[in-house]
Amino acid sequence: MSQRIEPRIEASWKARLADEFNTASFSQLKAFLLAERQAGKVLYPPGSKIFAAFDHTPWDRLKVVIVGQDP
């Protein structure tokens, strides 16, 4: 029996992403990544660091700059 591993993710992000984590598409993505790893493929970033950006930056401290050019 495999143990479910919860991603290390900051609480404010976990609350905002909880619904997404429960979608069929997220489950399919997770199953695909697990199958790839079981097939011996190397995945980056390592599983423990997939959500590192969310863990280090709480939602209320997030600032985004969109750089681009008008068409």
Side-chain angles (χ1 to χ4, degrees):
M1 177 183 270
S2 65
Q3 178 182 356
R4 180 183 164 111
I5 300 172
E6 287 292 323
R8 179 178 172 179
I9 185 169
E10 196 273 330
S12 63
W13 278 105
K14 192 175 242 183
R16 291 185 180 278
L17 295 174
D19 289 342
E20 187 64 30
F21 289 154
N22 293 317
T23 63
S25 61
F26 189 83
S27 294
Q28 291 169 350
L29 175 59
K30 182 178 174 183
F32 170 76
L33 293 173
L34 288 171
E36 292 291 289
R37 186 172 58 186
Q38 289 174 347
K41 295 187 180 175
V42 178
L43 304 177
Y44 293 101
S48 63
K49 295 185 179 184
I50 289 175
F51 295 104
F54 299 109
D55 188 42
H56 295 291
T57 308
W59 173 261
D60 63 345
R61 296 193 58 211
L62 178 69
K63 295 181 182 184
V64 177
V65 176
I66 299 173
V67 178
Q69 181 177 347
D70 292 332

